[in-house]
mmCIF file with all atom_site columns, all heavy atoms in Angstrom:
data_model
loop_
_atom_site.group_PDB
_atom_site.id
_atom_site.type_symbol
_atom_site.label_atom_id
_atom_site.label_alt_id
_atom_site.label_comp_id
_atom_site.label_asym_id
_atom_site.label_entity_id
_atom_site.label_seq_id
_atom_site.pdbx_PDB_ins_code
_atom_site.Cartn_x
_atom_site.Cartn_y
_atom_site.Cartn_z
_atom_site.occupancy
_atom_site.B_iso_or_equiv
_atom_site.pdbx_formal_charge
_atom_site.auth_seq_id
_atom_site.auth_comp_id
_atom_site.auth_asym_id
_atom_site.auth_atom_id
_atom_site.pdbx_PDB_model_num
ATOM 1  N N   . THR V 1 2   ? 41.648 -24.840 -66.802 1.00 0.00 ? 17  THR V N   1
ATOM 2  C CA  . THR V 1 2   ? 40.943 -26.229 -66.838 1.00 0.00 ? 17  THR V CA  1
ATOM 3  C C   . THR V 1 2   ? 39.480 -25.971 -66.734 1.00 0.00 ? 17  THR V C   1
ATOM 4  O O   . THR V 1 2   ? 39.055 -24.931 -66.484 1.00 0.00 ? 17  THR V O   1
ATOM 5  C CB  . THR V 1 2   ? 41.525 -27.105 -65.745 1.00 0.00 ? 17  THR V CB  1
ATOM 6  O OG1 . THR V 1 2   ? 40.940 -26.577 -64.470 1.00 0.00 ? 17  THR V OG1 1
ATOM 7  C CG2 . THR V 1 2   ? 43.041 -27.099 -65.624 1.00 0.00 ? 17  THR V CG2 1
ATOM 8  N N   . ASP V 1 35  ? 28.217 -16.401 -63.776 1.00 0.00 ? 50  ASP V N   1
ATOM 9  C CA  . ASP V 1 35  ? 28.181 -16.712 -65.156 1.00 0.00 ? 50  ASP V CA  1
ATOM 10 C C   . ASP V 1 35  ? 29.397 -17.665 -65.743 1.00 0.00 ? 50  ASP V C   1
ATOM 11 O O   . ASP V 1 35  ? 29.056 -18.624 -66.397 1.00 0.00 ? 50  ASP V O   1
ATOM 12 C CB  . ASP V 1 35  ? 27.989 -15.600 -66.010 1.00 0.00 ? 50  ASP V CB  1
ATOM 13 C CG  . ASP V 1 35  ? 27.680 -15.813 -67.466 1.00 0.00 ? 50  ASP V CG  1
ATOM 14 O OD1 . ASP V 1 35  ? 26.797 -16.558 -67.779 1.00 0.00 ? 50  ASP V OD1 1
ATOM 15 O OD2 . ASP V 1 35  ? 28.480 -15.295 -68.295 1.00 0.00 ? 50  ASP V OD2 1
ATOM 16 N N   . GLY V 1 56  ? 36.859 1.395   -48.543 1.00 0.00 ? 71  GLY V N   1
ATOM 17 C CA  . GLY V 1 56  ? 36.225 2.582   -48.850 1.00 0.00 ? 71  GLY V CA  1
ATOM 18 C C   . GLY V 1 56  ? 35.428 2.542   -50.241 1.00 0.00 ? 71  GLY V C   1
ATOM 19 O O   . GLY V 1 56  ? 34.554 3.425   -50.545 1.00 0.00 ? 71  GLY V O   1
ATOM 20 N N   . THR V 1 72  ? 23.485 5.786   -34.996 1.00 0.00 ? 87  THR V N   1
ATOM 21 C CA  . THR V 1 72  ? 24.504 5.070   -34.158 1.00 0.00 ? 87  THR V CA  1
ATOM 22 C C   . THR V 1 72  ? 25.427 4.257   -35.105 1.00 0.00 ? 87  THR V C   1
ATOM 23 O O   . THR V 1 72  ? 25.116 3.926   -36.240 1.00 0.00 ? 87  THR V O   1
ATOM 24 C CB  . THR V 1 72  ? 23.969 4.194   -33.095 1.00 0.00 ? 87  THR V CB  1
ATOM 25 O OG1 . THR V 1 72  ? 23.358 3.053   -33.796 1.00 0.00 ? 87  THR V OG1 1
ATOM 26 C CG2 . THR V 1 72  ? 23.017 4.922   -32.213 1.00 0.00 ? 87  THR V CG2 1
ATOM 27 N N   . ALA V 1 119 ? 19.747 -16.071 -26.169 1.00 0.00 ? 134 ALA V N   1
ATOM 28 C CA  . ALA V 1 119 ? 18.539 -15.237 -26.554 1.00 0.00 ? 134 ALA V CA  1
ATOM 29 C C   . ALA V 1 119 ? 18.904 -14.078 -27.454 1.00 0.00 ? 134 ALA V C   1
ATOM 30 O O   . ALA V 1 119 ? 18.168 -13.800 -28.338 1.00 0.00 ? 134 ALA V O   1
ATOM 31 C CB  . ALA V 1 119 ? 17.939 -14.742 -25.239 1.00 0.00 ? 134 ALA V CB  1
ATOM 32 N N   . ARG V 1 195 ? 10.970 -25.197 -47.268 1.00 0.00 ? 210 ARG V N   1
ATOM 33 C CA  . ARG V 1 195 ? 11.397 -23.843 -47.452 1.00 0.00 ? 210 ARG V CA  1
ATOM 34 C C   . ARG V 1 195 ? 12.580 -23.529 -46.526 1.00 0.00 ? 210 ARG V C   1
ATOM 35 O O   . ARG V 1 195 ? 13.165 -22.363 -46.521 1.00 0.00 ? 210 ARG V O   1
ATOM 36 C CB  . ARG V 1 195 ? 10.278 -22.878 -47.383 1.00 0.00 ? 210 ARG V CB  1
ATOM 37 C CG  . ARG V 1 195 ? 9.164  -23.093 -48.308 1.00 0.00 ? 210 ARG V CG  1
ATOM 38 C CD  . ARG V 1 195 ? 8.004  -22.106 -48.053 1.00 0.00 ? 210 ARG V CD  1
ATOM 39 N NE  . ARG V 1 195 ? 8.310  -20.760 -48.255 1.00 0.00 ? 210 ARG V NE  1
ATOM 40 C CZ  . ARG V 1 195 ? 8.192  -20.148 -49.436 1.00 0.00 ? 210 ARG V CZ  1
ATOM 41 N NH1 . ARG V 1 195 ? 7.760  -20.754 -50.494 1.00 0.00 ? 210 ARG V NH1 1
ATOM 42 N NH2 . ARG V 1 195 ? 8.461  -18.848 -49.551 1.00 0.00 ? 210 ARG V NH2 1
ATOM 43 N N   . GLU V 1 210 ? 47.290 -25.423 -36.816 1.00 0.00 ? 225 GLU V N   1
ATOM 44 C CA  . GLU V 1 210 ? 47.441 -25.626 -35.401 1.00 0.00 ? 225 GLU V CA  1
ATOM 45 C C   . GLU V 1 210 ? 48.219 -26.926 -35.110 1.00 0.00 ? 225 GLU V C   1
ATOM 46 O O   . GLU V 1 210 ? 49.107 -27.134 -34.334 1.00 0.00 ? 225 GLU V O   1
ATOM 47 C CB  . GLU V 1 210 ? 46.262 -25.515 -34.612 1.00 0.00 ? 225 GLU V CB  1
ATOM 48 C CG  . GLU V 1 210 ? 46.426 -25.605 -33.120 1.00 0.00 ? 225 GLU V CG  1
ATOM 49 C CD  . GLU V 1 210 ? 47.331 -24.562 -32.480 1.00 0.00 ? 225 GLU V CD  1
ATOM 50 O OE1 . GLU V 1 210 ? 47.352 -23.362 -32.934 1.00 0.00 ? 225 GLU V OE1 1
ATOM 51 O OE2 . GLU V 1 210 ? 48.028 -24.940 -31.515 1.00 0.00 ? 225 GLU V OE2 1
ATOM 52 N N   . ARG V 1 263 ? 23.527 -29.374 -45.487 1.00 0.00 ? 278 ARG V N   1
ATOM 53 C CA  . ARG V 1 263 ? 24.792 -29.812 -46.198 1.00 0.00 ? 278 ARG V CA  1
ATOM 54 C C   . ARG V 1 263 ? 25.990 -29.398 -45.418 1.00 0.00 ? 278 ARG V C   1
ATOM 55 O O   . ARG V 1 263 ? 26.084 -28.295 -44.920 1.00 0.00 ? 278 ARG V O   1
ATOM 56 C CB  . ARG V 1 263 ? 24.866 -29.038 -47.623 1.00 0.00 ? 278 ARG V CB  1
ATOM 57 C CG  . ARG V 1 263 ? 23.713 -29.652 -48.505 1.00 0.00 ? 278 ARG V CG  1
ATOM 58 C CD  . ARG V 1 263 ? 23.918 -29.021 -49.970 1.00 0.00 ? 278 ARG V CD  1
ATOM 59 N NE  . ARG V 1 263 ? 23.461 -27.657 -49.774 1.00 0.00 ? 278 ARG V NE  1
ATOM 60 C CZ  . ARG V 1 263 ? 23.682 -26.733 -50.887 1.00 0.00 ? 278 ARG V CZ  1
ATOM 61 N NH1 . ARG V 1 263 ? 24.271 -27.162 -52.010 1.00 0.00 ? 278 ARG V NH1 1
ATOM 62 N NH2 . ARG V 1 263 ? 23.229 -25.527 -50.794 1.00 0.00 ? 278 ARG V NH2 1
ATOM 63 N N   . SER V 1 320 ? 41.369 -42.044 -42.529 1.00 0.00 ? 335 SER V N   1
ATOM 64 C CA  . SER V 1 320 ? 41.278 -40.712 -41.768 1.00 0.00 ? 335 SER V CA  1
ATOM 65 C C   . SER V 1 320 ? 41.313 -40.889 -40.305 1.00 0.00 ? 335 SER V C   1
ATOM 66 O O   . SER V 1 320 ? 41.913 -40.135 -39.600 1.00 0.00 ? 335 SER V O   1
ATOM 67 C CB  . SER V 1 320 ? 39.926 -40.013 -42.149 1.00 0.00 ? 335 SER V CB  1
ATOM 68 O OG  . SER V 1 320 ? 39.982 -39.679 -43.576 1.00 0.00 ? 335 SER V OG  1
ATOM 69 N N   . PHE V 1 349 ? 36.608 -12.904 -35.032 1.00 0.00 ? 364 PHE V N   1
ATOM 70 C CA  . PHE V 1 349 ? 35.548 -12.287 -35.686 1.00 0.00 ? 364 PHE V CA  1
ATOM 71 C C   . PHE V 1 349 ? 35.093 -11.088 -34.770 1.00 0.00 ? 364 PHE V C   1
ATOM 72 O O   . PHE V 1 349 ? 34.655 -10.029 -35.353 1.00 0.00 ? 364 PHE V O   1
ATOM 73 C CB  . PHE V 1 349 ? 34.424 -13.355 -35.846 1.00 0.00 ? 364 PHE V CB  1
ATOM 74 C CG  . PHE V 1 349 ? 34.530 -14.168 -37.047 1.00 0.00 ? 364 PHE V CG  1
ATOM 75 C CD1 . PHE V 1 349 ? 33.664 -15.283 -37.243 1.00 0.00 ? 364 PHE V CD1 1
ATOM 76 C CD2 . PHE V 1 349 ? 35.554 -13.889 -38.006 1.00 0.00 ? 364 PHE V CD2 1
ATOM 77 C CE1 . PHE V 1 349 ? 33.753 -16.084 -38.377 1.00 0.00 ? 364 PHE V CE1 1
ATOM 78 C CE2 . PHE V 1 349 ? 35.614 -14.778 -39.092 1.00 0.00 ? 364 PHE V CE2 1
ATOM 79 C CZ  . PHE V 1 349 ? 34.750 -15.817 -39.399 1.00 0.00 ? 364 PHE V CZ  1
#
Side-chain angles (χ1 to χ4, degrees):
T17 68
D50 185 49
T87 66
R210 299 172 70 87
E225 185 58 35
R278 289 183 292 170
S335 297
F364 281 170

